[in-house]
Amino acid sequence: MTTESIADRAVAAPAGPERAAAFDHALDVLRDRREEFEEQRFVPRDFIALLKRAGMYRASTPAAFGGEPMPPAAFMKMVERVSAVDPATGWVSSFGSSLVYFAALPAATQQKIYAAGPDVAYAGGLFPMQEAEKVDGGYICSGLWQFASGCRGADILGIGLAGGPESAGKPLTALVDPADVEIIDNWDVAGMKATGSHAIRADRLFVPTEMTFVRGGAPQIDEPLNRYPALAYAAQVLAVVTLGAARGALDYAIEVGSSRTSITGGASKGNRPVYKVGVAEAEAELRSARAFFYETTESVWAKAVDGLEISTEDQALLRLSATHAAHAGRRVVLRAFDLAGTGAIYETHPLQRFLQDGLVPAQHAMLASNTFEASGSLLLGLDAGIPSFP
């Protein structure tokens, strides 16, 4: 990885009103361009630059290297706002949190990565983990890695390697220059189209040892954000996308859908008992899920700031609140779709964006239904039964 390859990246606006205005501007642009992003099936680099101006890609860079680490709740509320406009772009923006993984790299490597500035966009295609050839000074990597969300706008890419004795059997992530790999355009999906989660292919690419790390490995830089559980945070930033999608769908039901009438006539939908009850129950479910989600986040973050032990129970609650948020948010999206009636089945209907994208996060391995069971197992003092959980 060379600093020259990422030297032209955008930088965050000064903290305060100017940065807040940059974020509002990015949301306005997103409202105008979200159909474009969905049609082309990726969020382009010029829009990633707007999110960098808003500070989202220095939010997990260590302060030691010029970053301005954000408390997880503050960052995720930004992701939630983006997702309320376009969930797929929210998904891509959530990876502004992923530089916490880089804390496991040698300090000298981190210094090199951030030499051109702290605003770094990272995307990873980590699975399936490939066997790499161990050679002097590094690894020779070949293979195809799937689901590299945001890869077309990333400054650095990660690929997953099967670990060996040098990593105590734990899988490794190898960091590579986007110019050194091929992006395979295979993202043909019904939901989260704009995430551009294409595959990455490498052919006998040499990666130095110092550019590899164990995902969620021990941080080499001691700052509060690096004490916060990295794998739980990875699940949370995806779950909060669903909360944003649910907010967007429910806002549509309240602000627009309620005034519409059925093609068969009759009172406006908002005056019907079933609509009133549906909106009320959906609002209660969404706000309840958010409360549990952010309350747990703030509690664990306070421990990270104070340098206190973060227990297995704390981590289990983070994972539980994330899974619950993803599934509760999905139910709210479906409730809004149900209230909208037949008109919502058209591809051009505004709720289709939230429906197609909002169903996806709960399908992710980190948020799937079996993580409820794993969380409950840990709360009962039992084995989670899932690798790398919590």
Side-chain angles (χ1 to χ4, degrees):
M1 181 61 55
T2 62
T3 56
E4 290 80 4
S5 66
I6 51 178
D8 61 344
R9 61 176 178 245
V11 299
E18 190 171 344
R19 190 174 297 175
F23 185 52
D24 288 339
H25 173 65
L27 295 180
D28 288 339
V29 171
L30 181 58
R31 291 184 185 95
D32 290 337
R33 298 183 64 188
R34 54 193 175 186
E35 285 84 8
E36 169 198 336
F37 298 172
E38 181 170 345
E39 183 176 350
Q40 69 188 19
R41 293 181 296 122
F42 68 92
V43 178
R45 187 173 291 272
D46 67 306
F47 189 78
I48 296 296
L50 296 184
L51 296 178
K52 288 182 178 181
R53 287 284 295 165
M56 294 193 76
Y57 287 94
R58 63 171 53 191
S60 60
T61 301
F65 302 114
E68 298 174 64
M70 293 179 66
F75 176 77
M76 290 190 289
K77 286 176 181 177
M78 293 182 73
V79 174
E80 189 178 7
R81 286 184 63 191
V82 176
S83 302
V85 178
D86 182 53
T89 302
W91 185 276
V92 173
S93 76
S94 77
F95 294 106
S97 67
S98 61
L99 300 183
V100 294
Y101 298 134
F102 290 16
L105 288 162
T109 301
Q110 296 183 57
Q111 180 70 57
K112 177 183 177 182
I113 289 172
Y114 300 121
D119 303 280
V120 178
Y122 166 71
L126 305 182
F127 299 98
M129 292 177 289
Q130 305 286 357
E131 294 284 348
E133 179 184 349
K134 186 75 173 70
V135 297
D136 288 344
Y139 300 86
I140 302 294
C141 304
S142 297
L144 186 72
W145 292 266
Q146 304 285 351
F147 303 116
S149 299
C151 58
R152 293 199 180 277
D155 302 309
I156 303 176
L157 297 175
I159 54 178
L161 306 181
E166 71 281 2
S167 64
K170 296 179 179 179
L172 296 172
T173 298
L175 298 182
V176 302
D177 192 315
D180 293 333
V181 297
E182 180 185 4
I183 293 175
I184 306 299
D185 191 333
N186 66 348
W187 191 236
D188 186 13
V189 293
M192 291 289 181
K193 293 178 183 178
T195 62
S197 302
H198 300 295
I200 299 171
R201 175 184 288 155
D203 184 17
R204 295 196 61 78
L205 176 63
F206 174 74
V207 180
T209 301
E210 62 268 20
M211 296 300 290
T212 67
F213 62 90
V214 174
R215 187 168 180 244
Q220 303 304 301
I221 304 296
D222 184 24
E223 294 185 3
L225 191 56
N226 293 339
R227 300 177 202 141
Y228 192 85
L231 294 181
Y233 195 19
Q236 287 186 291
V237 296
L238 301 181
V240 80
V241 172
T242 320
L243 294 179
R247 184 72 271 163
L250 193 52
D251 283 349
Y252 176 86
I254 294 170
E255 298 167 8
V256 180
S258 62
S259 64
R260 297 195 170 183
T261 58
S262 169
I263 194 171
T264 59
S268 63
K269 293 182 180 180
N271 280 326
R272 300 173 188 176
V274 69
Y275 204 98
K276 297 173 186 176
V277 171
V279 165
E281 291 181 343
E283 190 72 51
E285 181 161 22
L286 178 58
R287 288 176 180 264
S288 298
R290 288 187 81 253
F292 177 32
F293 183 84
Y294 284 115
E295 175 189 303
T296 307
T297 300
E298 295 282 15
S299 175
V300 177
W301 173 244
K303 290 187 173 184
V305 170
D306 292 340
L308 301 177
E309 178 187 1
I310 295 174
S311 67
T312 298
E313 180 179 351
D314 291 328
Q315 296 178 67
L317 288 171
L318 288 176
R319 295 300 302 267
L320 176 59
S321 67
T323 298
H324 178 254
H327 288 258
R330 177 158 65 171
R331 287 192 294 271
V332 170
V333 170
L334 287 169
R335 191 65 176 267
F337 178 73
D338 182 52
L339 293 174
T342 306
I345 70 174
Y346 286 90
E347 290 185 357
T348 56
H349 194 281
L351 278 179
Q352 281 294 325
R353 170 177 297 103
F354 302 113
L355 177 69
Q356 293 180 33
D357 291 352
L359 301 187
V360 173
Q363 300 291 113
H364 194 281
M366 298 193 82
L367 299 167
S369 295
N370 65 335
T371 57
F372 277 118
E373 179 185 0
S375 299
S377 294
L378 292 180
L379 294 175
L380 290 166
L382 305 173
D383 182 79
I386 298 177
S388 302
F389 194 96

